[in-house]
Amino acid sequence: MIKVSVMYPNSLEATFDMKYYCNTHISLVAGILGDALKGGSVDSGLAGGALGQPAAFIAMGHLIFDSIESYQQSFIPYTEKIMADISNFTNTQPQIQISEITL
Amino acid sequence: MIKVSVMYPNSLEATFDMKYYCNTHISLVAGILGDALKGGSVDSGLAGGALGQPAAFIAMGHLIFDSIESYQQSFIPYTEKIMADISNFTNTQPQIQISEITL
């Protein structure tokens, strides 16, 4: 299984509408991906390693797929449509990482 | 529930012994945290958003706790002991993020 982590960098100016993200954006993405999407989760950044230190990412969304091929086939053709929704909930540009779920 | 993500930055020089990490380091950490640890997972970085682009993090370990207080009480007193093991599996210094599991 692989995990596609969509990580929104934090900064003093960063805004993120978590309600819109969870209620609208995730539904849009899940609808597009269909059966290819095997699971997912959403994290809200609270802090860095030391208390009082800001989180590096204001939010992170994680999407689970069977394989990179499955991600590519289901997500890539709709990247533009998915990315077009981003300005509706944040003024940041996400950083994407593809990982193998090892444990 | 909160997630403590221990993220190891990738670079051309970065090394990471995933076998040691999964077999030895995770056991050390789990033994120290005991019942405070409610779950966890390990990701191996494969790629960035575009194919051929390197992953931002060579590896990520995620630890689940009931609350920030539970993390602080179980982890912080042993930070030095846990950090001392890091050089046994990587030449990188992890970046830590505490997140609320929102979805």
Side-chain angles (χ1 to χ4, degrees), chain A residues 61-73:
Chain A
H62 309 283
L63 305 167
I64 313 291
F65 298 86
D66 276 335
S67 64
I68 289 192
E69 292 68 32
S70 171
Y71 158 65
Q72 287 179 302
Q73 284 161 18

Side-chain angles (χ1 to χ4, degrees), chain A residues 44 47 51 57 72 97-98 102, chain B residues 44 46 51 57 72 97 102:
Chain A
S44 302
L51 284 187
F57 299 103
Q72 287 179 302
Q97 160 138 0
I98 304 172
T102 304
Chain B
S44 302
L46 292 176
L51 284 186
F57 299 102
Q72 287 179 301
Q97 160 138 0
T102 305

Side-chain angles (χ1 to χ4, degrees), chain A residues 3-81:
Chain A
K3 183 191 286 182
V4 177
S5 297
V6 185
M7 305 181 288
Y8 298 86
N10 201 7
S11 71
L12 283 176
E13 297 76 31
T15 61
F16 197 92
D17 181 344
M18 185 54 83
K19 200 171 162 186
Y20 182 96
Y21 183 72
C22 287
N23 294 346
T24 306
H25 185 69
I26 293 289
S27 300
L28 169 78
V29 173
I32 287 171
L33 300 178
D35 291 347
L37 185 64
K38 299 304 180 192
S41 62
V42 173
D43 299 331
S44 302
L46 292 177
L51 284 187
Q53 194 187 333
F57 299 103
I58 193 168
M60 292 191 265
H62 309 283
L63 305 167
I64 313 291
F65 298 86
D66 276 335
S67 64
I68 289 192
E69 292 68 32
S70 171
Y71 158 65
Q72 287 179 302
Q73 284 161 18
S74 61
F75 191 102
I76 303 288
Y78 302 96
T79 302
E80 212 167 307
K81 186 175 176 182

Side-chain angles (χ1 to χ4, degrees), chain A residues 46-56, chain B residues 4-7 68 71-72 75-76 79 83 94-99:
Chain A
L46 292 177
L51 284 187
Q53 194 187 333
Chain B
V4 177
S5 297
V6 186
M7 304 181 288
I68 289 191
Y71 158 64
Q72 287 179 301
F75 191 103
I76 303 289
T79 303
M83 299 294 275
Q95 175 180 333
I96 293 177
Q97 160 138 0
I98 304 172
S99 303

